[in-house]
Amino acid sequence: MTDERLRRLCGGRPAVVTGAGSGMGRELAHRLSAAGVRVLVSDIDDAALGETVTSSPGGGAPLVAAVLDVADADAVAAYVHDVVGREGPPALVLNNAGITMVAGVHEEDDRHARRIMAVNFGGVVNGTTAFLPHLEAAGGGHIVNTSSAFGLLGAPAQSAYSASKFAVRGFSESVQKQLRDNGSPVRIHIVCPGAVHTAIARRARYVDPAIRDFVTRGFDHRLPGTRPRAAAAAILSGVVAGRDRILVGPDARALDIGVRVFAGALQRPLATITGPVFRRMIVTSLSGRATATGRWATAGWPAPPVPRRCG
């Protein structure tokens, strides 16, 4: 994907990236800036957003930052009004903000579960509905909504996150069909990343502090996955190519094929494979310090084996 193709896609109009304080959002902003596209970045974390701006490679178009809670519909509407008033309607809107929680269904923090839905799903709805009329009035544009591989198939210990990402996919597919049937010049793209090494896992809400400590020591970086820069390149390439669904990483592509071919029959064998592996990886890596034995059993899973010690 060349910078020229991105510039042509935007046609001199700006791009908007939410959740730009880290990970894919930061890399999307940097990639667009390097291509000469003016980028309006937002995040609820002011300090992280500042790092995105200061770490932007030199020589690119400027990044314009604003602190924004995408779950707040009124705040998003005010932000969109300000953006369009100052910069004109964007050509590209990337609704990327997201948070998660790792907990069995019986142990979830209900308030945080609702916050996950408000940010991950509500943020996509707010960004799509607020920007869409302006993009249509401008003669076209692209709205890119971030779902997940866990929006294709539910994941253990991430019921709230999976629910929010299924909702993003369902909402976006519905809007895709509506816009196409109405002859709208605006395209909706659904992004389904697999494992991407971003800060979302380290910033997640954890019921078990031992698992949280393990993740913050670099657990996510020891697993196979896609780097944020490569994920951003794949997303933008998918938009330029006009794909309705953009799968990021070989794991997401494999899961997408599996779900399409085997449908619900894939759920039980996948849970059978991933459940014990996930538990064993946590307990073994923590050298038996994890308190997950009782907690996972509370969530309806059998207790993991206690790792043997040498000596």
Side-chain angles (χ1 to χ4, degrees), residues 24 28 94 96 144 146 191 193 230-240 246 248:
M24 292 194 308
L28 285 165
L94 295 122
N96 170 76
V144 184
T146 302
V191 175
I235 291 167
L236 294 174
S237 292
V239 174
V240 169
I246 302 169
V248 178

Side-chain angles (χ1 to χ4, degrees), residues 7 29-39 53 56-64:
R7 285 194 293 269
H30 288 175
R31 182 70 185 83
L32 287 162
S33 172
V37 178
R38 185 171 174 83
V39 191
V53 173
S56 182
L63 302 181
V64 181

Side-chain angles (χ1 to χ4, degrees), residues 181-250:
D181 290 346
N182 291 345
S184 172
V186 178
R187 293 288 303 276
I188 300 285
H189 308 267
I190 306 168
V191 175
C192 294
V196 180
H197 296 310
T198 69
I200 189 171
R202 293 189 298 277
R203 295 177 178 175
R205 177 73 62 86
Y206 292 91
V207 172
D208 191 327
I211 296 175
R212 180 199 61 218
D213 293 344
F214 180 47
V215 172
T216 57
R217 292 204 310 269
F219 166 69
D220 54 326
H221 291 277
R222 289 198 289 269
L223 290 177
T226 305
R227 297 297 173 187
R229 182 174 297 181
I235 291 167
L236 294 174
S237 292
V239 174
V240 169
R243 299 191 194 110
D244 284 348
R245 182 181 292 186
I246 302 169
L247 301 164
V248 178

Side-chain angles (χ1 to χ4, degrees), residues 253-269:
R253 290 191 289 273
L255 188 58
D256 181 60
I257 293 170
V259 170
R260 289 173 186 269
V261 173
F262 298 106
L266 188 64
Q267 183 76 52
R268 185 176 294 276

Side-chain angles (χ1 to χ4, degrees), residues 44 48 83 100 116 125 205 230 284:
I44 198 170
V83 165
T100 190
I116 288 170
V125 173
R205 177 73 62 86
T284 302

Side-chain angles (χ1 to χ4, degrees), residues 44-60:
I44 198 170
D45 187 334
D46 191 15
L49 193 60
E51 291 176 11
T52 295
V53 173
T54 57
S55 63
S56 182

Side-chain angles (χ1 to χ4, degrees), residues 63-110:
L63 302 181
V64 181
V67 176
L68 178 66
D69 179 0
V70 297
D72 184 336
D74 291 338
V76 172
Y79 175 70
V80 172
H81 178 77
D82 181 61
V83 165
V84 174
R86 286 187 296 105
E87 308 284 347
L92 180 60
V93 176
L94 295 122
N95 292 311
N96 170 76
I99 57 176
T100 190
M101 171 170 54
V102 180
V105 67
H106 294 299
E107 302 162 318
E108 284 189 335
D109 178 332
D110 181 68

